[in-house]
Amino acid sequence: MQIIQAVIVKQLLTENSKQQLFNGYHSKKLQLQKECDQLQFELKRLEKSKSLSPGTLKKQFEKEIQMRKEKIKLLEFQAEQLHILPLGSEIKEKEVQALVELNVGDNWDERFGQSEIIVSDGVIVEIR
């Protein structure tokens, strides 16, 4: 019998992967800042046109801007934490699904325990 099991993919922190993560955080942060600026511009444009009710519209725009600002703060926190981590640390990258073959007599705890794939600079180095 085959079943689907969740497998955690962890990245082994190296100089290269650390720099890639920093670059990813930075680009996401810049994108969110651009989105905030665009939303503020659109809000001002709509306020000047006065075509829609300003109260609810302004609240919706402010809510969207605030959500993006919170994401920016989270990215900044993640970058700070990444800076603190020593090389060789394992970072959970994502979770994938895998097919697992089960047979009568298999040890359930061993076969269905949490599996992990360890990746270093894009190369699988260990499967646990």
Side-chain angles (χ1 to χ4, degrees), residues 9-26 28 78-79 81-83 85-93 118-123 125:
V9 178
K10 291 186 176 181
Q11 186 174 27
L12 199 61
L13 197 60
T14 63
E15 280 293 335
N16 188 29
S17 63
K18 197 172 191 177
Q19 188 60 44
Q20 286 178 347
L21 287 169
F22 273 125
N23 293 342
Y25 292 153
H26 183 69
K28 287 177 188 174
Q78 288 175 327
Q81 294 301 307
L82 182 61
H83 182 69
L85 282 176
L87 296 179
S89 299
E90 293 178 1
I91 299 173
K92 181 179 176 183
E93 188 173 324
I118 309 300
V119 178
S120 178
D121 291 331
V123 178
V125 293

Side-chain angles (χ1 to χ4, degrees), residues 112-126:
F112 206 67
Q114 191 67 14
S115 297
E116 295 178 336
I117 298 172
I118 309 300
V119 178
S120 178
D121 291 331
V123 178
I124 298 172
V125 293
E126 186 178 355

Side-chain angles (χ1 to χ4, degrees), residues 58-81:
K58 186 174 182 175
K59 286 180 185 177
Q60 184 63 30
F61 270 91
E62 288 174 351
K63 181 180 173 185
E64 291 294 325
I65 292 169
Q66 188 60 35
M67 281 179 19
R68 283 163 177 79
K69 286 183 178 181
E70 288 174 10
K71 288 180 182 179
I72 289 171
K73 287 180 184 177
L74 178 62
L75 286 170
E76 289 171 346
F77 175 74
Q78 288 175 327
E80 289 173 13
Q81 294 301 307

